[in-house]
Amino acid sequence: MKWKRSERLVDMTQHLLEHPHRLIPLTYFASLYDSAKSSISEDLTIVSETLEARGKGHLLTVPGAAGGVKYIPKLDETEIRAITDELKTRMSQSDRLLPGGYLYMTDLLGDPELMNRIGKVFASVYAKQKIDAIMTVATKGIPIAHAIARHLNVPVIVVRRDSKVTEGPTVSINYVSGSARRIQTMVLSKRSMEKGKRVLLTDDFMKVGGTMNGMKSLLAEFDGELAGVAVLIEAEHTAEVLVQDYVSLLKLKQVDERNGSIVLEEGNYFQKGGQHE
């Protein structure tokens, strides 16, 4: 079957969007569409120009016999600010206040469209870096980790608070909780990660970084390298932050249970995001 250019462009774009950060040989597309490589190259130029014009990312061309093309997802600042503003608006609703000053976030973490967009925001920060895996602690960080991993095309590693028989042999570490200053435990299956991997840490909320520090210590047990830290919301810090190099979308400034008010502001994304590219 001979494909029309319009058909090739639609199908090719969909394929690239569904397989981010995966090197696809031009011969694959040439065979799939029964077209010359020169025609495929012209098609890819059109796709790349459209993606960049729309602020959706770009195509990276790798020359040589083993080369091909790779889609790198990326959002422009306007869309990132729109996502941040939406998240701030939804998080500022007074009915999210729970006893003790906690915030209800489960509905947002369970919103697949919102999580997909947030995942792409963080993936945009680390688009040009080598990332082998995303690590988080069960359970609320899992949706964010999977969203980021989807756009970086890497696996997710889930750290748990206790050992499970289904995990097999595990590595455990003790760490000091940054807020409560209590000794807590983290456990990771030995099969979850190979040694020497470059890993991005993520979580839904960070107070002073005790949990992140614990994951860093666990990462060291696997001779891993810290690629960065991505946080959905950070708290207004009243104590020294244990993690310095992190990127956050929002900062929780104040919670007033009596008046039912939640004050949020922009995180450090727009200050620190560009430094990681």
Side-chain angles (χ1 to χ4, degrees):
M1 168 184 171
K2 192 70 175 178
W3 293 60
K4 297 178 182 177
R5 165 158 283 182
S6 58
E7 295 172 330
R8 292 201 308 265
L9 290 172
V10 171
D11 193 70
M12 187 182 296
T13 302
Q14 182 181 15
H15 186 90
L16 290 164
L17 294 178
E18 291 179 349
H19 300 88
H21 286 272
R22 178 181 296 180
L23 186 63
I24 303 172
L26 265 61
T27 51
Y28 170 82
F29 287 131
S31 175
L32 179 64
Y33 305 127
D34 190 22
S35 301
K37 288 177 66 175
S38 58
S39 298
I40 297 300
S41 294
E42 293 173 0
D43 293 346
L44 289 170
T45 298
I46 296 172
V47 173
S48 182
E49 290 174 350
T50 303
L51 289 171
E52 292 191 27
R54 297 284 295 169
K56 302 297 184 182
H58 67 278
L59 298 186
L60 175 65
T61 301
V62 179
V69 65
K70 184 186 297 186
Y71 168 56
I72 310 297
K74 191 169 178 63
L75 296 176
D76 60 25
E77 184 173 321
T78 300
E79 187 164 356
I80 293 173
R81 288 193 181 278
I83 294 169
T84 304
D85 289 344
E86 177 186 341
L87 181 63
K88 182 165 66 173
T89 299
R90 294 176 68 175
M91 279 301 305
S92 298
Q93 297 167 346
S94 59
D95 60 359
R96 293 195 176 278
L97 270 176
L98 300 173
Y102 293 99
L103 299 182
Y104 180 75
M105 297 175 58
T106 305
D107 61 326
L108 301 182
L109 297 173
D111 184 333
E113 182 180 355
L114 178 62
M115 285 298 103
N116 182 62
R117 293 164 68 201
I118 288 173
K120 196 169 185 179
V121 168
F122 283 122
S124 295
V125 178
Y126 300 96
K128 295 182 181 179
Q129 292 198 38
K130 182 181 185 296
I131 307 288
D132 296 313
I134 312 295
M135 178 184 286
T136 192
V137 177
T139 56
K140 288 186 177 179
I142 295 177
I144 302 171
H146 276 282
I148 300 172
R150 160 74 180 86
H151 293 289
L152 291 178
N153 192 26
V154 296
V156 171
I157 299 169
V158 178
V159 177
R160 303 193 181 277
R161 303 292 185 181
D162 52 19
S163 180
K164 295 183 180 294
V165 66
T166 52
E167 296 286 295
T170 60
V171 174
S172 65
I173 59 108
N174 293 325
Y175 71 101
V176 180
S177 169
S179 54
R181 306 302 297 175
R182 295 197 307 265
I183 300 295
Q184 298 187 346
T185 303
M186 282 185 180
V187 178
L188 182 62
S189 169
K190 288 185 176 180
R191 299 185 182 187
S192 295
M193 180 171 60
E194 297 177 2
K195 287 187 176 294
K197 295 299 183 181
R198 185 171 166 81
V199 179
L200 174 68
L201 309 182
T202 190
D203 209 352
D204 65 313
F205 191 81
M206 184 179 80
K207 291 184 178 179
V208 296
T211 300
M212 292 298 183
N213 228 20
M215 283 195 283
K216 284 175 62 179
S217 298
L218 192 54
L219 184 60
E221 294 294 320
F222 288 80
D223 297 326
E225 181 183 353
L226 179 65
V229 175
V231 181
L232 187 62
I233 302 174
E234 63 170 310
E236 177 72 10
H237 308 299
T238 56
E240 182 182 358
V241 183
L242 301 177
V243 179
Q244 297 300 321
D245 190 17
Y246 66 91
V247 176
S248 65
L249 281 192
L250 293 179
K251 174 179 280 191
L252 179 62
K253 293 286 291 183
Q254 183 181 353
V255 174
D256 189 330
E257 291 184 75
R258 179 174 298 180
N259 297 323
S261 64
I262 303 169
V263 180
L264 292 145
E265 66 177 25
E266 193 178 86
N268 68 9
Y269 184 95
F270 296 101
Q271 290 75 45
K272 286 203 169 186
Q275 299 174 13
H276 294 78
E277 292 183 7

